[in-house]
Short mmCIF file of all heavy atoms in Angstrom, two decimals:
data_model
loop_
_atom_site.label_atom_id
_atom_site.label_comp_id
_atom_site.label_asym_id
_atom_site.label_seq_id
_atom_site.Cartn_x
_atom_site.Cartn_y
_atom_site.Cartn_z
N VAL A 1141 -29.89 -43.44 64.85
CA VAL A 1141 -29.88 -44.81 64.36
C VAL A 1141 -28.84 -44.93 63.22
O VAL A 1141 -28.95 -44.23 62.20
CB VAL A 1141 -31.28 -45.22 63.81
CG1 VAL A 1141 -31.23 -46.60 63.19
CG2 VAL A 1141 -32.28 -45.17 64.95
N PRO A 1142 -27.82 -45.78 63.36
CA PRO A 1142 -26.81 -45.89 62.29
C PRO A 1142 -27.38 -46.58 61.07
O PRO A 1142 -28.34 -47.37 61.14
CB PRO A 1142 -25.71 -46.75 62.94
CG PRO A 1142 -26.44 -47.54 64.01
CD PRO A 1142 -27.54 -46.66 64.51
N SER A 1143 -26.80 -46.30 59.91
CA SER A 1143 -27.33 -46.81 58.65
C SER A 1143 -27.26 -48.38 58.58
O SER A 1143 -28.09 -48.98 57.91
CB SER A 1143 -26.61 -46.23 57.46
OG SER A 1143 -25.20 -46.57 57.51
N ASP A 1144 -26.32 -48.97 59.32
CA ASP A 1144 -26.21 -50.43 59.26
C ASP A 1144 -27.30 -51.10 60.13
O ASP A 1144 -27.37 -52.33 60.19
CB ASP A 1144 -24.84 -50.91 59.68
CG ASP A 1144 -24.49 -50.58 61.11
OD1 ASP A 1144 -25.29 -49.87 61.79
OD2 ASP A 1144 -23.43 -51.01 61.57
N ARG A 1145 -28.15 -50.30 60.78
CA ARG A 1145 -29.32 -50.86 61.48
C ARG A 1145 -30.64 -50.39 60.85
O ARG A 1145 -31.69 -50.56 61.42
CB ARG A 1145 -29.28 -50.45 62.97
CG ARG A 1145 -28.03 -50.84 63.72
CD ARG A 1145 -27.75 -52.32 63.63
NE ARG A 1145 -28.78 -53.13 64.29
CZ ARG A 1145 -28.81 -54.46 64.29
NH1 ARG A 1145 -27.86 -55.15 63.62
NH2 ARG A 1145 -29.75 -55.11 64.92
N LEU A 1146 -30.52 -49.78 59.67
CA LEU A 1146 -31.70 -49.33 58.95
C LEU A 1146 -32.01 -50.23 57.76
O LEU A 1146 -31.09 -50.69 57.07
CB LEU A 1146 -31.49 -47.89 58.42
CG LEU A 1146 -31.59 -46.74 59.41
CD1 LEU A 1146 -31.33 -45.43 58.69
CD2 LEU A 1146 -32.98 -46.72 60.08
N ILE A 1147 -33.28 -50.48 57.54
CA ILE A 1147 -33.74 -51.18 56.35
C ILE A 1147 -34.65 -50.21 55.57
O ILE A 1147 -35.64 -49.71 56.13
CB ILE A 1147 -34.52 -52.46 56.67
CG1 ILE A 1147 -33.65 -53.43 57.47
CG2 ILE A 1147 -35.04 -53.10 55.38
CD1 ILE A 1147 -32.42 -53.93 56.75
N GLU A 1148 -34.28 -49.89 54.33
CA GLU A 1148 -35.08 -49.00 53.54
C GLU A 1148 -36.21 -49.81 52.82
O GLU A 1148 -35.93 -50.79 52.17
CB GLU A 1148 -34.25 -48.28 52.47
CG GLU A 1148 -35.02 -47.29 51.66
CD GLU A 1148 -34.15 -46.54 50.65
OE1 GLU A 1148 -33.13 -47.10 50.24
OE2 GLU A 1148 -34.50 -45.41 50.30
N VAL A 1149 -37.41 -49.35 53.00
CA VAL A 1149 -38.58 -49.94 52.32
C VAL A 1149 -39.05 -48.97 51.26
O VAL A 1149 -39.44 -47.86 51.55
CB VAL A 1149 -39.73 -50.27 53.31
CG1 VAL A 1149 -40.92 -50.90 52.53
CG2 VAL A 1149 -39.24 -51.22 54.40
N ILE A 1150 -38.97 -49.39 50.00
CA ILE A 1150 -39.31 -48.54 48.85
C ILE A 1150 -40.67 -48.97 48.34
O ILE A 1150 -40.89 -50.15 48.05
CB ILE A 1150 -38.23 -48.62 47.76
CG1 ILE A 1150 -36.86 -48.21 48.34
CG2 ILE A 1150 -38.61 -47.74 46.58
CD1 ILE A 1150 -35.70 -48.54 47.41
N PHE A 1151 -41.58 -48.01 48.23
CA PHE A 1151 -42.96 -48.31 47.85
C PHE A 1151 -43.50 -47.25 46.96
O PHE A 1151 -43.19 -46.07 47.10
CB PHE A 1151 -43.82 -48.42 49.10
CG PHE A 1151 -45.26 -48.76 48.83
CD1 PHE A 1151 -45.62 -50.04 48.48
CD2 PHE A 1151 -46.25 -47.80 48.90
CE1 PHE A 1151 -46.96 -50.38 48.22
CE2 PHE A 1151 -47.59 -48.11 48.66
CZ PHE A 1151 -47.91 -49.41 48.32
N GLU A 1152 -44.29 -47.65 45.97
CA GLU A 1152 -44.91 -46.67 45.06
C GLU A 1152 -46.11 -46.04 45.74
O GLU A 1152 -47.19 -46.62 45.84
CB GLU A 1152 -45.37 -47.35 43.77
CG GLU A 1152 -45.98 -46.39 42.79
CD GLU A 1152 -46.66 -47.08 41.61
OE1 GLU A 1152 -46.25 -48.20 41.28
OE2 GLU A 1152 -47.62 -46.50 41.07
N GLY A 1153 -45.90 -44.83 46.25
CA GLY A 1153 -46.97 -44.12 46.95
C GLY A 1153 -46.75 -44.22 48.43
O GLY A 1153 -46.63 -45.33 49.01
N PHE A 1154 -46.63 -43.10 49.15
CA PHE A 1154 -46.22 -43.13 50.55
C PHE A 1154 -47.36 -43.58 51.47
O PHE A 1154 -47.25 -44.52 52.22
CB PHE A 1154 -45.74 -41.74 50.98
CG PHE A 1154 -45.17 -41.69 52.37
CD1 PHE A 1154 -43.85 -42.06 52.61
CD2 PHE A 1154 -45.96 -41.32 53.41
CE1 PHE A 1154 -43.37 -42.04 53.87
CE2 PHE A 1154 -45.44 -41.29 54.71
CZ PHE A 1154 -44.14 -41.63 54.95
N SER A 1155 -48.46 -42.87 51.45
CA SER A 1155 -49.50 -43.16 52.43
C SER A 1155 -50.26 -44.43 52.14
O SER A 1155 -50.80 -45.04 53.05
CB SER A 1155 -50.52 -41.99 52.52
OG SER A 1155 -51.18 -41.81 51.27
N ALA A 1156 -50.29 -44.87 50.88
CA ALA A 1156 -51.11 -46.04 50.54
C ALA A 1156 -50.67 -47.28 51.24
O ALA A 1156 -51.48 -48.17 51.51
CB ALA A 1156 -51.05 -46.28 49.00
N ILE A 1157 -49.40 -47.41 51.61
CA ILE A 1157 -48.95 -48.63 52.27
C ILE A 1157 -49.60 -48.76 53.63
O ILE A 1157 -49.76 -49.87 54.14
CB ILE A 1157 -47.41 -48.61 52.39
CG1 ILE A 1157 -46.93 -50.01 52.68
CG2 ILE A 1157 -46.92 -47.64 53.45
CD1 ILE A 1157 -45.43 -50.19 52.58
N PHE A 1158 -50.01 -47.67 54.27
CA PHE A 1158 -50.63 -47.74 55.58
C PHE A 1158 -52.14 -47.97 55.46
O PHE A 1158 -52.74 -48.59 56.33
CB PHE A 1158 -50.37 -46.45 56.38
CG PHE A 1158 -48.93 -46.14 56.56
CD1 PHE A 1158 -48.34 -45.09 55.90
CD2 PHE A 1158 -48.14 -46.92 57.38
CE1 PHE A 1158 -47.00 -44.80 56.09
CE2 PHE A 1158 -46.80 -46.64 57.57
CZ PHE A 1158 -46.20 -45.62 56.92
N VAL A 1159 -52.77 -47.44 54.42
CA VAL A 1159 -54.21 -47.54 54.33
C VAL A 1159 -54.71 -48.61 53.36
O VAL A 1159 -55.86 -49.00 53.45
CB VAL A 1159 -54.83 -46.15 53.90
CG1 VAL A 1159 -54.45 -45.10 54.92
CG2 VAL A 1159 -54.38 -45.74 52.53
N HIS A 1160 -53.86 -49.06 52.48
CA HIS A 1160 -54.26 -50.12 51.53
C HIS A 1160 -54.16 -51.46 52.22
O HIS A 1160 -53.07 -51.84 52.64
CB HIS A 1160 -53.40 -50.12 50.26
CG HIS A 1160 -53.95 -50.92 49.16
ND1 HIS A 1160 -54.03 -52.32 49.26
CD2 HIS A 1160 -54.47 -50.60 47.95
CE1 HIS A 1160 -54.55 -52.78 48.13
NE2 HIS A 1160 -54.83 -51.78 47.34
N PRO A 1161 -55.26 -52.18 52.37
CA PRO A 1161 -55.25 -53.40 53.19
C PRO A 1161 -54.31 -54.50 52.66
O PRO A 1161 -53.87 -55.32 53.45
CB PRO A 1161 -56.71 -53.87 53.19
CG PRO A 1161 -57.35 -53.14 52.04
CD PRO A 1161 -56.61 -51.86 51.87
N PHE A 1162 -54.04 -54.54 51.37
CA PHE A 1162 -53.13 -55.56 50.85
C PHE A 1162 -51.71 -55.24 51.27
O PHE A 1162 -51.02 -56.06 51.91
CB PHE A 1162 -53.20 -55.62 49.33
CG PHE A 1162 -52.33 -56.67 48.71
CD1 PHE A 1162 -52.81 -57.96 48.49
CD2 PHE A 1162 -51.02 -56.41 48.33
CE1 PHE A 1162 -51.99 -58.94 47.94
CE2 PHE A 1162 -50.20 -57.38 47.78
CZ PHE A 1162 -50.72 -58.64 47.57
N TRP A 1163 -51.21 -54.03 51.00
CA TRP A 1163 -49.83 -53.69 51.30
C TRP A 1163 -49.62 -53.47 52.78
O TRP A 1163 -48.51 -53.72 53.27
CB TRP A 1163 -49.41 -52.47 50.48
CG TRP A 1163 -49.37 -52.74 49.02
CD1 TRP A 1163 -50.22 -52.28 48.06
CD2 TRP A 1163 -48.45 -53.60 48.34
NE1 TRP A 1163 -49.88 -52.77 46.82
CE2 TRP A 1163 -48.81 -53.60 46.96
CE3 TRP A 1163 -47.39 -54.38 48.75
CZ2 TRP A 1163 -48.10 -54.31 46.02
CZ3 TRP A 1163 -46.67 -55.12 47.81
CH2 TRP A 1163 -47.03 -55.07 46.46
N SER A 1164 -50.62 -53.00 53.50
CA SER A 1164 -50.43 -52.76 54.93
C SER A 1164 -50.22 -54.08 55.68
O SER A 1164 -49.45 -54.14 56.65
CB SER A 1164 -51.61 -52.01 55.53
OG SER A 1164 -52.82 -52.77 55.45
N ASP A 1165 -50.84 -55.19 55.23
CA ASP A 1165 -50.61 -56.46 55.85
C ASP A 1165 -49.16 -56.96 55.63
O ASP A 1165 -48.54 -57.50 56.52
CB ASP A 1165 -51.58 -57.53 55.28
CG ASP A 1165 -52.93 -57.48 55.96
OD1 ASP A 1165 -53.10 -56.70 56.91
OD2 ASP A 1165 -53.83 -58.23 55.55
N ILE A 1166 -48.64 -56.75 54.42
CA ILE A 1166 -47.27 -57.09 54.14
C ILE A 1166 -46.33 -56.24 55.00
O ILE A 1166 -45.35 -56.71 55.57
CB ILE A 1166 -46.95 -56.92 52.65
CG1 ILE A 1166 -47.70 -57.96 51.81
CG2 ILE A 1166 -45.46 -57.01 52.34
CD1 ILE A 1166 -47.51 -57.88 50.32
N TRP A 1167 -46.66 -54.91 55.08
CA TRP A 1167 -45.86 -54.00 55.91
C TRP A 1167 -45.79 -54.42 57.36
O TRP A 1167 -44.73 -54.46 57.97
CB TRP A 1167 -46.45 -52.59 55.77
CG TRP A 1167 -45.95 -51.56 56.72
CD1 TRP A 1167 -46.53 -51.17 57.88
CD2 TRP A 1167 -44.70 -50.84 56.63
NE1 TRP A 1167 -45.76 -50.21 58.48
CE2 TRP A 1167 -44.62 -49.98 57.75
CE3 TRP A 1167 -43.68 -50.82 55.67
CZ2 TRP A 1167 -43.56 -49.13 57.94
CZ3 TRP A 1167 -42.62 -49.96 55.87
CH2 TRP A 1167 -42.57 -49.13 57.02
N VAL A 1168 -46.94 -54.81 57.92
CA VAL A 1168 -46.97 -55.21 59.33
C VAL A 1168 -46.11 -56.45 59.54
O VAL A 1168 -45.37 -56.52 60.52
CB VAL A 1168 -48.43 -55.48 59.77
CG1 VAL A 1168 -48.46 -56.17 61.13
CG2 VAL A 1168 -49.23 -54.19 59.82
N GLY A 1169 -46.18 -57.42 58.62
CA GLY A 1169 -45.39 -58.62 58.75
C GLY A 1169 -43.88 -58.36 58.76
O GLY A 1169 -43.15 -58.89 59.57
N LEU A 1170 -43.43 -57.52 57.79
CA LEU A 1170 -42.00 -57.27 57.72
C LEU A 1170 -41.48 -56.39 58.86
O LEU A 1170 -40.37 -56.58 59.36
CB LEU A 1170 -41.64 -56.71 56.36
CG LEU A 1170 -42.09 -55.30 55.92
CD1 LEU A 1170 -41.09 -54.25 56.37
CD2 LEU A 1170 -42.28 -55.25 54.40
N VAL A 1171 -42.29 -55.37 59.24
CA VAL A 1171 -41.86 -54.50 60.35
C VAL A 1171 -41.72 -55.27 61.66
O VAL A 1171 -40.76 -55.03 62.42
CB VAL A 1171 -42.86 -53.33 60.52
CG1 VAL A 1171 -42.63 -52.60 61.83
CG2 VAL A 1171 -42.71 -52.35 59.37
N GLN A 1172 -42.61 -56.21 61.92
CA GLN A 1172 -42.54 -56.99 63.15
C GLN A 1172 -41.24 -57.79 63.21
O GLN A 1172 -40.53 -57.78 64.25
CB GLN A 1172 -43.73 -57.94 63.25
CG GLN A 1172 -43.80 -58.69 64.57
CD GLN A 1172 -43.96 -57.79 65.76
OE1 GLN A 1172 -44.94 -57.05 65.85
NE2 GLN A 1172 -43.02 -57.78 66.68
N VAL A 1173 -40.88 -58.45 62.10
CA VAL A 1173 -39.64 -59.24 62.09
C VAL A 1173 -38.43 -58.33 62.23
O VAL A 1173 -37.49 -58.64 62.99
CB VAL A 1173 -39.55 -60.07 60.80
CG1 VAL A 1173 -38.21 -60.75 60.66
CG2 VAL A 1173 -40.69 -61.09 60.76
N LEU A 1174 -38.38 -57.23 61.50
CA LEU A 1174 -37.24 -56.30 61.55
C LEU A 1174 -37.08 -55.68 62.93
O LEU A 1174 -35.97 -55.56 63.45
CB LEU A 1174 -37.40 -55.23 60.49
CG LEU A 1174 -37.33 -55.70 59.03
CD1 LEU A 1174 -37.65 -54.55 58.10
CD2 LEU A 1174 -35.97 -56.32 58.71
N THR A 1175 -38.19 -55.29 63.52
CA THR A 1175 -38.14 -54.69 64.87
C THR A 1175 -37.64 -55.68 65.88
O THR A 1175 -36.81 -55.35 66.73
CB THR A 1175 -39.54 -54.17 65.27
OG1 THR A 1175 -40.01 -53.21 64.33
CG2 THR A 1175 -39.48 -53.52 66.64
N ASP A 1176 -38.12 -56.93 65.81
CA ASP A 1176 -37.66 -57.98 66.76
C ASP A 1176 -36.15 -58.22 66.62
O ASP A 1176 -35.50 -58.64 67.60
CB ASP A 1176 -38.42 -59.26 66.53
CG ASP A 1176 -39.89 -59.18 66.95
OD1 ASP A 1176 -40.23 -58.20 67.67
OD2 ASP A 1176 -40.69 -60.03 66.57
N ALA A 1177 -35.63 -58.01 65.39
CA ALA A 1177 -34.18 -58.22 65.18
C ALA A 1177 -33.35 -56.98 65.46
O ALA A 1177 -32.13 -57.01 65.26
CB ALA A 1177 -33.98 -58.67 63.73
N GLY A 1178 -33.99 -55.91 65.91
CA GLY A 1178 -33.22 -54.70 66.29
C GLY A 1178 -32.99 -53.74 65.16
O GLY A 1178 -32.12 -52.85 65.27
N TYR A 1179 -33.72 -53.88 64.08
CA TYR A 1179 -33.61 -52.97 62.93
C TYR A 1179 -34.76 -51.96 62.92
O TYR A 1179 -35.85 -52.27 63.44
CB TYR A 1179 -33.55 -53.74 61.60
CG TYR A 1179 -32.26 -54.45 61.33
CD1 TYR A 1179 -31.99 -55.67 61.91
CD2 TYR A 1179 -31.29 -53.88 60.50
CE1 TYR A 1179 -30.80 -56.33 61.67
CE2 TYR A 1179 -30.08 -54.52 60.28
CZ TYR A 1179 -29.84 -55.76 60.84
OH TYR A 1179 -28.66 -56.40 60.60
N ARG A 1180 -34.54 -50.84 62.31
CA ARG A 1180 -35.58 -49.85 62.09
C ARG A 1180 -35.81 -49.68 60.59
O ARG A 1180 -34.90 -49.83 59.80
CB ARG A 1180 -35.23 -48.50 62.73
CG ARG A 1180 -35.00 -48.56 64.24
CD ARG A 1180 -36.25 -48.96 64.95
NE ARG A 1180 -37.30 -47.99 64.82
CZ ARG A 1180 -37.53 -46.96 65.64
NH1 ARG A 1180 -36.70 -46.77 66.69
NH2 ARG A 1180 -38.49 -46.13 65.44
N THR A 1181 -37.01 -49.32 60.26
CA THR A 1181 -37.35 -49.11 58.82
C THR A 1181 -37.45 -47.63 58.49
O THR A 1181 -37.86 -46.83 59.34
CB THR A 1181 -38.69 -49.78 58.46
OG1 THR A 1181 -39.70 -49.28 59.33
CG2 THR A 1181 -38.62 -51.28 58.62
N VAL A 1182 -37.07 -47.32 57.27
CA VAL A 1182 -37.30 -45.97 56.76
C VAL A 1182 -38.05 -46.16 55.41
O VAL A 1182 -37.60 -46.92 54.55
CB VAL A 1182 -35.99 -45.17 56.58
CG1 VAL A 1182 -34.98 -45.92 55.71
CG2 VAL A 1182 -36.29 -43.80 55.99
N LEU A 1183 -39.17 -45.52 55.27
CA LEU A 1183 -40.03 -45.67 54.10
C LEU A 1183 -39.72 -44.60 53.08
O LEU A 1183 -39.81 -43.40 53.39
CB LEU A 1183 -41.50 -45.62 54.48
CG LEU A 1183 -42.53 -45.93 53.40
CD1 LEU A 1183 -42.34 -47.35 52.88
CD2 LEU A 1183 -43.95 -45.79 53.95
N THR A 1184 -39.35 -45.00 51.87
CA THR A 1184 -39.03 -44.10 50.81
C THR A 1184 -40.08 -44.22 49.69
O THR A 1184 -40.22 -45.28 49.11
CB THR A 1184 -37.64 -44.37 50.23
OG1 THR A 1184 -36.65 -44.29 51.28
CG2 THR A 1184 -37.26 -43.34 49.15
N PRO A 1185 -40.79 -43.15 49.33
CA PRO A 1185 -41.85 -43.27 48.35
C PRO A 1185 -41.28 -43.12 46.92
O PRO A 1185 -40.30 -42.46 46.69
CB PRO A 1185 -42.74 -42.05 48.65
CG PRO A 1185 -41.82 -41.04 49.24
CD PRO A 1185 -40.73 -41.81 49.98
N LEU A 1186 -41.97 -43.80 46.03
CA LEU A 1186 -41.73 -43.62 44.58
C LEU A 1186 -42.98 -43.01 43.98
O LEU A 1186 -44.06 -43.55 44.14
CB LEU A 1186 -41.45 -44.99 43.93
CG LEU A 1186 -40.01 -45.34 43.57
CD1 LEU A 1186 -39.98 -46.75 43.06
CD2 LEU A 1186 -39.43 -44.39 42.54
N GLU A 1187 -42.84 -41.91 43.28
CA GLU A 1187 -44.01 -41.27 42.66
C GLU A 1187 -44.28 -41.92 41.29
O GLU A 1187 -43.38 -42.37 40.60
CB GLU A 1187 -43.76 -39.77 42.46
CG GLU A 1187 -43.67 -39.01 43.78
CD GLU A 1187 -43.56 -37.52 43.49
OE1 GLU A 1187 -44.42 -36.98 42.83
OE2 GLU A 1187 -42.57 -36.93 43.94
N ALA A 1188 -45.57 -41.95 40.93
CA ALA A 1188 -45.98 -42.47 39.64
C ALA A 1188 -47.03 -41.54 39.04
O ALA A 1188 -47.79 -40.89 39.75
CB ALA A 1188 -46.53 -43.88 39.78
N ASP A 1189 -47.03 -41.50 37.73
CA ASP A 1189 -48.05 -40.68 37.02
C ASP A 1189 -49.41 -41.33 37.23
O ASP A 1189 -49.60 -42.52 37.06
CB ASP A 1189 -47.74 -40.64 35.52
CG ASP A 1189 -48.71 -39.75 34.76
OD1 ASP A 1189 -49.76 -40.28 34.37
OD2 ASP A 1189 -48.38 -38.55 34.58
N GLU A 1190 -50.40 -40.52 37.65
CA GLU A 1190 -51.73 -41.08 37.98
C GLU A 1190 -52.42 -41.69 36.78
O GLU A 1190 -53.20 -42.66 36.91
CB GLU A 1190 -52.59 -39.96 38.57
CG GLU A 1190 -52.13 -39.49 39.94
CD GLU A 1190 -53.12 -38.51 40.54
OE1 GLU A 1190 -54.18 -38.27 39.95
OE2 GLU A 1190 -52.83 -38.00 41.64
N GLU A 1191 -52.21 -41.15 35.60
CA GLU A 1191 -52.89 -41.67 34.41
C GLU A 1191 -52.22 -42.89 33.79
O GLU A 1191 -52.87 -43.90 33.49
CB GLU A 1191 -52.98 -40.56 33.36
CG GLU A 1191 -53.89 -39.41 33.74
CD GLU A 1191 -55.32 -39.86 33.97
OE1 GLU A 1191 -55.80 -40.71 33.20
OE2 GLU A 1191 -55.96 -39.36 34.90
#
Side-chain angles (χ1 to χ4, degrees):
V1141 175
S1143 62
D1144 64 354
R1145 303 305 295 177
L1146 283 179
I1147 301 297
E1148 184 178 26
V1149 180
I1150 302 169
F1151 181 75
E1152 180 190 333
F1154 186 83
S1155 62
I1157 197 170
F1158 301 110
V1159 302
H1160 193 293
F1162 182 90
W1163 294 110
S1164 64
D1165 277 356
I1166 292 178
W1167 168 261
V1168 169
L1170 68 88
V1171 166
Q1172 185 62 60
V1173 172
L1174 294 174
T1175 301
D1176 290 345
Y1179 285 82
R1180 301 296 297 269
T1181 56
V1182 55
L1183 187 60
T1184 302
L1186 256 176
E1187 293 185 57
D1189 183 274
E1190 292 186 4
E1191 292 299 321

